[in-house]
């Protein structure tokens, strides 16, 4: 089980709506070759996208300043950050001023991934190269995250799209804006406007996540 010490040390949970995690339910589900990912658009001091893969009971996380790309000629800098609790994947809202990561968080994309490459996910991470295929609402197909050998801080990776049927050489991240959870854009989340569609959940444990805006509707398909 990954350690969430750094995540919890950086935050005051009486001052931020982010989930403290891990919730008891997070001891499951059992690890398998298919698991979940989430990308959160984060309008903080600097806008970036947080790419997170559920591995070993936590969300392995990278901050991608320019956002992910389906263009295989883009190599997007991805700075690894602290592991986040699984429940964070359902978090969308405002982190108040004065708190770590203050700003607005949108669930920009989410779905499942299959591991590719050799070895399990932790082995691939340790090697500094992990290959996986995403099945999200916006991101699809095969990707790699490759750690930069000359990274000064040791936390810089590149996120690269492999050439496959999901490739889009005309990719523009801004053309795919909006929350897959609530349909809202950053400004609407910042103003705490109501969801534009029913919130749907991927897993029951997300019921423990911080989401006060709407009752979940399990039978509403994700659009
Ligand atoms: Mn962030």
């Amino acid at each position: 089980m990954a350690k969430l010490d750094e995540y919890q040390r950086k935050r005051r949970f009486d001052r931020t709506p982010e989930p403290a995690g891990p919730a008891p339910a997070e001891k499951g589900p059992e690890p398998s070759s298919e698991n979940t990912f989430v990308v959160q658009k984060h309008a903080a001091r600097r806008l970036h996208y947080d790419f997170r893969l559920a591995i070993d009971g936590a969300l392995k996380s990278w901050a991608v300043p320019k956002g992910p790309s389906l263009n295989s000629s883009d190599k997007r800098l991805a700075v690894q950050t602290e592991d986040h609790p699984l429940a964070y994947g359902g978090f969308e809202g405002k982190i108040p001023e004065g708190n770590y990561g203050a700003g607005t968080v949108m669930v920009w994309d989410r779905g499942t991934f299959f591991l590719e490459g050799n070895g399990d996910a932790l082995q691939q991470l340790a090697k500094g190269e992990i290959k996986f295929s995403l099945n999200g609402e916006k991101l699809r197909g095969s990707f790699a995250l490759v750690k930069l050998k000359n990274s000064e801080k040791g936390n810089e990776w590149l996120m690269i799209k492999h050439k496959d049927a999901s490739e889009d050489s005309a990719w523009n991240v801004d053309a795919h804006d909006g929350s897959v959870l609530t349909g809202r854009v950053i400004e609407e989340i910042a103003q705490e406007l109501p969801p534009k569609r029913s919130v749907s959940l991927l897993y029951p444990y997300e019921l423990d996540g911080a989401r006060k805006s709407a009752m979940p509707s399990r039978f509403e398909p994700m659009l």
Side-chain angles (χ1 to χ4, degrees):
M1 175 68 74
K3 292 261 191 295
L4 293 169
D5 303 4
E6 186 180 351
Y7 173 85
Q8 286 164 342
R9 194 170 60 241
K10 285 177 167 173
R11 291 167 177 82
R12 290 281 312 270
F13 296 104
D14 54 343
R15 297 183 186 174
T16 175
E18 295 163 288
E26 288 190 26
K27 293 190 173 68
E30 290 301 306
S32 71
S33 59
E34 186 183 55
N35 224 319
T36 56
F37 81 96
V38 63
V39 184
Q40 282 155 316
K41 185 175 180 178
H42 186 182
R45 197 154 41 88
R46 277 193 186 169
L47 180 80
H48 59 273
Y49 293 73
D50 290 300
F51 179 74
R52 312 188 197 279
L53 293 172
I55 292 171
D56 193 32
L59 293 172
K60 299 288 175 187
S61 298
W62 291 262
V64 185
K66 292 185 177 176
S69 175
L70 291 186
N71 184 343
S72 66
S73 50
D74 286 337
K75 291 179 172 52
R76 292 290 164 84
L77 177 66
V79 180
Q80 192 168 17
T81 57
E82 76 274 17
D83 292 352
H84 281 50
L86 293 178
Y88 205 94
F91 174 69
E92 177 169 290
K94 281 169 73 174
I95 303 171
E97 277 307 312
N99 288 278
Y100 181 76
T104 308
V105 176
M106 171 206 291
V107 179
W108 181 84
D109 196 19
R110 64 193 329 210
T112 55
F113 74 93
F114 285 95
L115 200 61
E116 298 177 338
N118 298 316
D120 66 28
L122 289 177
Q123 288 168 339
Q124 293 192 41
L125 285 172
K127 256 186 0 197
E129 182 167 357
I130 182 167
K131 294 177 180 169
F132 48 86
S133 183
L134 300 180
N135 183 21
E137 296 192 38
K138 297 175 182 178
L139 298 181
R140 289 178 177 275
S142 180
F143 290 79
L145 275 163
V146 182
K147 193 173 186 175
L148 290 175
K149 295 204 166 61
N150 300 323
S151 165
E152 251 176 53
K153 291 181 180 170
N155 60 355
E156 292 172 311
W157 299 58
L158 293 177
M159 185 176 183
I160 301 162
K161 177 84 188 74
H162 292 137
K163 285 188 175 149
D164 62 17
S166 306
E167 211 226 344
D168 178 4
S169 58
W171 173 264
N172 169 11
V173 73
D174 294 325
H176 302 271
D177 201 16
S179 167
V180 295
L181 204 59
T182 63
R184 297 178 297 177
V185 296
I186 284 285
E187 293 72 22
E188 292 167 329
I189 298 166
Q191 291 168 37
E192 299 183 317
L193 297 181
K196 292 174 157 178
R197 58 159 118 154
S198 301
V199 172
S200 54
L201 303 174
L202 279 181
Y203 289 109
Y205 65 71
E206 294 180 356
L207 287 166
D208 295 316
R211 193 185 298 118
K212 57 189 172 185
S213 44
M215 289 298 289
S217 168
R218 282 170 165 282
F219 304 104
E220 198 75 19
M222 287 173 89
L223 300 174

